[in-house]
Amino acid sequence: MQGSISAIIPTFNRSSYLGEAVEALLNQTRPLSQILIWDDGSSDDTPDVARRLLSADQTGVLAYFRAENQGKSAALNAAMKEVRGDYVWICDDDDIACPDAAEKLGHVLDTGTAGIAAGAHVRFSVAAGSAEKTFFGIGYWPDLSSGSVIRHLLEDIFFFQNASLVRRSCYETIGPFREDLSRSIDYEMFVRLGTRFPIEMIDDVVFFQRKHEGLRGPAAQQHAAASSEAVWFEADRAIFADLRPRLPIAFYAALFKADSQDLALRAGHLQRGCVYARRGDWAAAIEDFEIAVDMDPSRGLSATEIGIALRTMAGKHGSTQAYLSPVRGQLLALARRGTAGKTLVNAFGRGSIWRAREALTNRDFRQFSRIAAFCARAGIRPRPSLQAADLCERDYPQAEAYRW
């Protein structure tokens, strides 16, 4: 049986893009039951554009709401109260859904048990004075051939609201969007959803993400596109700082299958350390690394655990602090904690090689020297694993993992 789909378009001063976003939803191969435009107090001609769209709508699914500017989270929370569909599709006002997006994502939820269905996207831009779209790839996207979707998501966001369809019951369980965040509200919500409900990915591209130089964020906290990465980085750090005391280490351990719970727990601590290192929270990361290697100091790391260590140094925000005092010394000191620590530090060195190449490519010779010095002390020769293949990563966490 097919579930009904409600789409929400929160919008603020994007009247020049809004029409194209709405038309893409009206022309889906699987018709939507609702399309809610929530105007967050726009000061441009958004109300006029919305009225024209409503007058031209022959389906009767389009509705327009307007409120004082309070930010995207508040707009979404208000719009959620109007949702009647079984599934919720949140679409940005400057992006364009593929015609068959609702059909493909809806099929996943219709036929399976996942709480969230998600797909890929392609970025595009339109030059000033031109109507022609230039497409230029997907941006950051992990290798999903191994590991659970939630593990990849905890390490970095890679799919977006436009590319996801969520059961309304999941939103009702999780609670509202956080209104104290100016950025990364989608990431924070995806982490909450993904740690409580399974995510099912499809390979298809389901929307086109527009890249442009307009301002981002609510009216009181707007910033230019060029500064988005720094703003996102700080927002992500705050989100995960709040998450740490709430998400139990048992959830991270449940991402792994092992002959003993202790092995899965060690991998869980390494994985949580990786997540926080990629957020730039090295103090939290090192705390987990120390716990992990002290659990069984004489036991070397498995290939799965070495993979975690390699990913620790590969975050999209960089790993600059790892090569500076005091973090550098704290990481290298792990080698004094037995075979497990030596193997871990060696993997950190191996994972830093591509960072050194990156620094050379960017002609950042000071950074290259720091990384090279770190690698020399960490050791970058491959070491044989002392642990047999008794630990592996789960592609899907077991159902009980979500009950925390």
Side-chain angles (χ1 to χ4, degrees):
M1 180 177 177
Q2 284 193 345
S4 55
I5 301 175
S6 293
I8 301 173
I9 305 179
T11 188
F12 177 68
N13 285 351
R14 295 265 178 81
S15 61
S16 58
Y17 303 137
L18 181 60
E20 196 170 8
V22 172
E23 288 296 331
L25 298 184
L26 287 170
N27 293 318
Q28 289 293 300
T29 56
R30 174 169 170 171
L32 308 184
S33 64
Q34 279 183 303
I35 302 174
L36 309 175
I37 303 172
W38 196 278
D39 184 354
D40 188 35
S42 296
S43 57
D44 62 1
D45 62 341
T46 292
D48 295 332
V49 171
R51 280 192 288 269
R52 288 197 294 270
L53 290 168
L54 260 69
S55 64
D57 175 32
Q58 302 297 312
T59 66
V61 301
L62 196 59
Y64 172 69
F65 300 85
R66 179 177 171 84
E68 292 183 7
N69 181 264
Q70 299 181 68
K72 184 177 180 180
S73 290
L76 287 172
N77 288 335
M80 281 286 188
K81 297 175 182 177
E82 304 295 331
V83 166
R84 300 293 178 265
D86 300 304
Y87 311 146
V88 181
W89 190 12
I90 296 173
C91 299
D92 286 340
D93 54 4
D94 53 349
D95 296 327
I96 304 171
C98 295
D100 56 359
E103 181 178 354
K104 290 178 176 178
L105 295 173
H107 178 73
V108 174
L109 299 187
D110 291 339
T111 58
T113 59
I116 305 101
H121 65 279
V122 173
R123 299 178 296 173
F124 78 95
S125 63
V126 178
S130 170
E132 185 175 349
K133 296 179 175 64
T134 301
F135 295 90
F136 53 97
I138 198 169
Y140 172 76
W141 195 264
D143 179 5
L144 298 175
S145 62
S146 64
S148 60
V149 176
I150 184 57
R151 187 269 285 173
H152 289 288
L153 182 64
L154 286 168
E155 289 183 351
D156 277 309
I157 190 169
F158 58 97
F159 66 86
F160 299 97
Q161 286 178 326
N162 292 61
S164 65
L165 196 63
V166 181
R167 296 184 192 275
R168 178 160 56 100
S169 59
C170 294
Y171 278 121
E172 291 171 347
T173 299
I174 291 300
F177 286 86
R178 282 181 54 174
E179 298 186 14
D180 60 320
L181 297 174
S182 61
R183 295 299 294 174
S184 294
I185 63 168
D186 51 348
Y187 193 12
E188 192 275 339
M189 178 56 79
F190 279 141
V191 168
R192 270 196 283 156
L193 287 166
T195 54
R196 294 291 301 278
F197 303 100
I199 305 171
E200 187 71 37
M201 296 295 301
I202 61 174
D203 295 331
D204 307 71
V205 171
V206 293
F207 88 97
F208 303 117
Q209 184 185 53
R210 189 190 302 267
K211 307 302 289 185
H212 58 89
E213 297 303 315
L215 294 176
R216 267 73 170 170
Q221 297 174 296
Q222 287 201 321
H223 57 275
S227 64
S228 284
E229 184 174 350
V231 174
W232 276 321
F233 178 65
E234 291 305 319
D236 289 355
R237 283 196 61 168
I239 288 168
F240 278 82
D242 290 344
L243 181 69
R244 189 174 177 86
R246 294 188 292 109
L247 183 63
I249 190 63
F251 184 87
Y252 290 91
L255 302 178
F256 302 92
K257 181 180 180 181
D259 287 350
S260 73
Q261 182 57 35
D262 284 346
L263 282 179
L265 185 59
R266 184 170 83 164
H269 277 289
L270 291 173
Q271 182 60 62
R272 188 169 71 174
C274 170
V275 167
Y276 281 84
R278 291 167 72 104
R279 302 276 87 72
D281 190 346
W282 286 96
I286 290 169
E287 178 182 324
D288 273 308
F289 295 148
E290 290 176 345
I291 293 172
V293 299
D294 287 347
M295 289 182 69
D296 194 348
S298 63
R299 188 185 186 96
L301 304 187
S302 67
T304 297
E305 292 169 306
I306 289 172
I308 298 171
L310 295 175
R311 294 196 305 273
T312 295
M313 316 307 286
K316 65 182 180 183
H317 295 298
S319 53
T320 301
Q321 287 180 284
Y323 313 115
L324 300 172
S325 180
V327 175
R328 176 186 58 201
Q330 293 168 334
L331 289 175
L332 293 171
L334 292 168
R336 299 197 291 269
R337 294 175 178 254
T339 302
K342 289 179 182 178
T343 314
L344 180 61
V345 173
N346 176 260
F348 288 154
R350 290 166 55 196
S352 297
I353 293 174
W354 81 274
R355 288 291 187 195
R357 293 172 180 155
E358 179 185 57
L360 277 180
T361 300
N362 296 334
R363 303 184 65 81
D364 188 345
F365 301 117
R366 177 177 295 182
Q367 178 69 350
F368 173 79
S369 296
R370 291 172 180 147
I371 299 172
F374 177 87
C375 291
R377 293 186 62 186
I380 58 175
R381 292 191 304 273
R383 296 173 185 252
S385 171
L386 299 184
Q387 183 176 316
D390 47 12
L391 174 78
C392 62
E393 192 171 3
R394 296 182 187 274
D395 290 334
Y396 297 94
Q398 292 179 310
E400 56 266 24
Y402 298 102
R403 304 189 189 107
W404 57 272

